[in-house]
Amino acid sequence: MTDALLPAAPQPLEKESDRYFRKGCNPLAQTGRSKLQNQRAALNQQILKAVRMRTGAENLLKVATNHKVREQVRLELSFVNSDLQMLKEELEGLNISVGVYQSTEEAFTVPLIPLGLKETKDIDFSVVLKDFILEHYSEDSYLYEDEIADLMDLRQACRTPSRDEAGVELLMSYFIQLGFVESRFFPPTRQMGILFTWYDSLTGVPVSQQNLLLEKASILFNIGALYTQIGTRCNRRTQAGLDGAVDAFQRAAGVLHHLKETFTHTPSYDMSPAMLSVLVKMMLAQAQENVFEKICLPGIRNEFFVLVKVAQEAAKVGEVYRQLHTAMSQAPVKENIPYSWASLVCVKAHHYAALAHYFAATLLIDHQLKPGADEDHQEKCLSQLYDHMPEGLTPLATLKSGHQRRQLGKSHLRRAVAHHEESVREASLCKKLRNIEVLQDVLSVAHERSRLKYAQHQDDDDLLNLIDAPDIISKTEQEVEIILPQFSKVTATDFFQKLGPLSVFSANKRWTPPRSIHFTAEEGDLGFTLRGNSPVQVHFLDPHCSAALAGAKEGDYIVSIQDVDCKWLTVSEVMKLLKACGRDGVEMKVVSLLDFTSSMHNKCATYSVGMQKTYSMICLAIDDDDKTDKTKKISKKLSFLSWGTDKNRVKSASTLCLPSVGVARPQVKKKLPSPFSLLNSDSSLY
């Protein structure tokens, strides 16, 4: 990848007023990645064309009866398959390079597999968000130009995050910000006209949708991919570096698992549930490999119990890679997994299985049971090393018999050599792996070590007398597991908090334009009380007071007083503003919620067209009609400071939401419960 070769140092934080955001590591990285995506897209078009030609040729071959035509079709089909294979190899070379993301420290270690970041196109939020602010919130959209610019700058920075915790925090902060943006500007009932385009990280196929979920899912994928790149760049020659690699791959697995469980209908190949399941397995397998390297880092002492532990740890790594290779070989992920990945996974499965048998052979051949040794402990370890002992052998008898130990050890060496030969063969079949020198060196050294040890103890009659070495039970002292993303640890401030509390001022609620209410208090009595908290609502409004005559309604939200924004003020703070108004009166702006039905209680009777009225419906309507007569009496005005003290004035919820069904009623204005008291104050990020 071109961007991997560029500097990855994070830029310093840039502060402007009270807000700041991080910039990407290098803008040239985005340019290089964009060029790669264009090349991928062109190659995919050629591949699709070749696939269509191959399908047509295969169909023609099935129906053709003329011998010459069939020979010509077979010839054309061979050319098409050859071209298709070359195109796929070229695409694979662009998709992934396992060596370029590795640690810059020279180490004799097997390379790890990182994920490349998904690339996207530029998006201009300004026109759509400004129009929505003016239309939906009835506010001057030009007052939010800085906030929209901050959002676009943050998105642009996320295209080139630094490969460290600062880069992860940058992507997480944008993901959280997308939750705010979705609640503010993306109503569930309509499309906003913003086209999000993201490229598949494996195939390069572009996916475009007018859906913010694609943006959120792609950012999550990039968080997981960034963790894999952090893990592969750790210095695996130190204990701290290996601990960091294990943690990074576990966190990558957690993010990808969260993506699979949360976004189940993503149209991109790399984010399909099947592909994400394989990627999660791959991250956990690499974390388990780093656990094995941690155990081997101080050096492997040639002691019986140490070798038992190391053999089982190596068997564990070989087992998880074998399971991963099986998953990679299944449809539908088989067609989209890079060939170099599947090859490297197969190589590692054989390599670590060979190491397990080599260490088992070493503990059997090099360690004869001596007088005074802990026979019970060694017998227990040897019995736990295998699922079952070979026929005719018992753990204690094998430990005491030097001949049986050598024979069983040589059978392990023979299996180790066979696994090493298979790993070398698999690596030689893949062009990408042949070019990774450190991988070739590790495989050849391990193979030569097992071969030489087998040659030292080989007898002429081994082919006839050697028993089959049993499989080694996999066991680990540190079972790796996914670590789910912890978004709560990342602090992100809503860019558009000036619009008001998100629990009230969101895209799924409709409001009246702000109304100016000019009124005066009569002898210190405003004629209404207040309730709620940020924003405050008009409550217990006297229909004959000055505010009501000026146009105020019960349930209105107060958004400003004397041009002071009140959306985030508490009841006590709004009280102080109202009391501070002089004799000239109060200039107050209020808004009303239009979606009353969304805030009603669930207890209601319904009537559909074409359905006969039931007796219970009519009774409910008549009963409700009788109760409305009591609301005609006008209550005495309440004192401004005595709001909410008269409990008898609060109506029962059962009398508020029973609609009339086929019964004529006088048009009487009823007090409806405030919508604010029935709204869910928790805003969802998804």
Side-chain angles (χ1 to χ4, degrees), residues 274 278 323-337:
V278 171
Q323 295 172 352
L324 174 60
H325 186 260
T326 301
M328 284 182 169
S329 303
Q330 304 296 321
V333 298
K334 181 180 180 180
E335 298 298 326
N336 297 318
I337 287 287

Side-chain angles (χ1 to χ4, degrees), residues 46 72 90 109 180 259 317 322 398 404 455 495 533 539 544 643 647 655:
Q46 298 179 43
Q72 184 68 25
E90 187 176 355
T109 54
F180 297 140
L259 173 60
V317 180
R322 185 171 62 254
T398 302
Q404 290 184 6
F495 285 158
N533 199 16
H539 192 47
H544 294 286
W643 62 280
K647 296 182 179 179
T655 65

Side-chain angles (χ1 to χ4, degrees), residues 85 89 92 96 98 110-113 282 286 321-322 324-326 328-329 334 337-352 419-436 439-440 443:
Q85 185 63 32
E89 290 180 0
E92 179 196 343
I96 189 63
V98 296
V110 180
L112 301 171
I113 301 176
M282 185 170 72
Q286 295 188 127
Y321 271 117
R322 185 171 62 254
L324 174 60
H325 186 260
T326 301
M328 284 182 169
S329 303
K334 181 180 180 180
I337 287 287
Y339 178 65
S340 59
W341 287 10
S343 298
L344 184 58
V345 166
C346 185
V347 167
K348 289 187 177 185
H350 286 290
H351 174 69
Y352 286 103
H419 278 295
H420 279 309
E421 290 175 348
E422 188 64 21
S423 66
V424 172
R425 187 187 71 83
E426 286 287 341
S428 65
L429 295 178
C430 179
K431 180 180 179 182
K432 301 294 292 185
L433 299 186
R434 288 199 302 268
N435 295 331
I436 302 178
L439 175 63
Q440 299 294 330
L443 297 180

Side-chain angles (χ1 to χ4, degrees), residues 525-529 539-540 542 635-646 649:
D525 190 355
L526 297 172
F528 59 87
T529 60
H539 192 47
F540 287 142
D542 185 348
S635 60
K636 183 181 178 181
K637 292 186 293 183
L638 296 174
S639 170
F640 175 75
L641 297 178
S642 64
W643 62 280
T645 58
D646 189 356
R649 297 183 181 274

Side-chain angles (χ1 to χ4, degrees), residues 9-74:
Q11 297 294 327
L13 303 182
E14 180 176 300
K15 296 187 177 181
E16 185 176 353
S17 66
D18 293 333
R19 297 188 305 272
Y20 68 91
F21 58 89
R22 295 176 178 83
K23 292 186 177 296
C25 62
N26 195 325
L28 296 179
Q30 173 258 317
T31 304
R33 211 162 47 238
S34 296
K35 292 179 179 179
L36 287 177
Q37 295 295 3
N38 291 333
Q39 295 177 22
R40 287 193 185 100
L43 281 174
N44 271 281
Q45 293 296 328
Q46 298 179 43
I47 290 175
L48 290 176
K49 181 180 179 181
V51 169
R52 288 195 295 266
M53 292 178 63
R54 183 179 65 179
T55 303
E58 291 174 346
N59 293 335
L60 180 58
L61 187 62
K62 292 178 181 178
V63 299
T65 57
N66 187 282
H67 179 70
K68 292 185 177 180
V69 172
R70 291 177 63 86
E71 288 297 326
Q72 184 68 25
V73 171
R74 287 194 183 96

Side-chain angles (χ1 to χ4, degrees), residues 254-288:
V255 173
L256 296 175
H257 177 77
H258 178 71
L259 173 60
K260 179 175 72 74
E261 296 296 322
T262 308
F263 301 90
T264 57
H265 299 289
T266 51
S268 185
Y269 294 122
D270 55 357
M271 294 191 293
S272 63
M275 179 63 73
L276 289 174
S277 297
V278 171
L279 294 181
V280 169
K281 292 180 186 296
M282 185 170 72
M283 299 310 133
L284 293 178
Q286 295 188 127
Q288 195 68 59

Side-chain angles (χ1 to χ4, degrees), residues 494-506:
D494 182 8
F495 285 158
F496 300 92
Q497 60 181 346
K498 289 193 304 183
L499 291 172
L502 187 58
S503 58
V504 178
F505 295 97
S506 60

Side-chain angles (χ1 to χ4, degrees), residues 524-658:
D525 190 355
L526 297 172
F528 59 87
T529 60
L530 302 176
R531 74 168 179 179
N533 199 16
S534 301
V536 175
Q537 282 184 281
V538 175
H539 192 47
F540 287 142
L541 176 67
D542 185 348
H544 294 286
C545 69
S546 175
L549 296 176
K553 300 177 183 178
E554 186 163 336
D556 283 347
Y557 288 87
I558 301 175
V559 295
S560 70
I561 298 175
Q562 307 294 101
D563 294 331
V564 177
D565 195 331
C566 300
K567 296 172 187 172
W568 288 95
L569 299 185
T570 62
V571 169
S572 59
E573 291 170 335
V574 173
M575 283 183 180
K576 292 180 182 179
L577 287 177
L578 290 171
K579 288 181 179 180
C581 297
R583 296 181 179 179
D584 295 336
V586 180
E587 187 69 31
M588 182 173 69
K589 287 186 178 181
V590 298
V591 294
S592 299
L593 184 66
L594 294 178
D595 301 322
F596 285 109
T597 55
S598 64
S599 62
M600 287 186 173
H601 292 277
N602 292 330
K603 182 179 178 181
C604 62
T606 58
Y607 175 64
S608 301
V609 177
M611 183 179 71
Q612 295 182 352
K613 294 188 286 288
T614 63
Y615 176 76
S616 59
M617 286 178 170
I618 298 175
C619 290
L620 287 173
I622 295 175
D623 180 66
D624 188 35
D625 208 16
D626 294 338
K627 292 180 180 179
T628 56
D629 295 337
K630 300 177 183 180
T631 63
K632 296 181 180 179
K633 297 179 181 180
I634 298 174
S635 60
K636 183 181 178 181
K637 292 186 293 183
L638 296 174
S639 170
F640 175 75
L641 297 178
S642 64
W643 62 280
T645 58
D646 189 356
K647 296 182 179 179
N648 293 330
R649 297 183 181 274
V650 182
K651 288 191 173 184
S652 172
S654 62
T655 65
L656 298 177
C657 296
L658 299 178

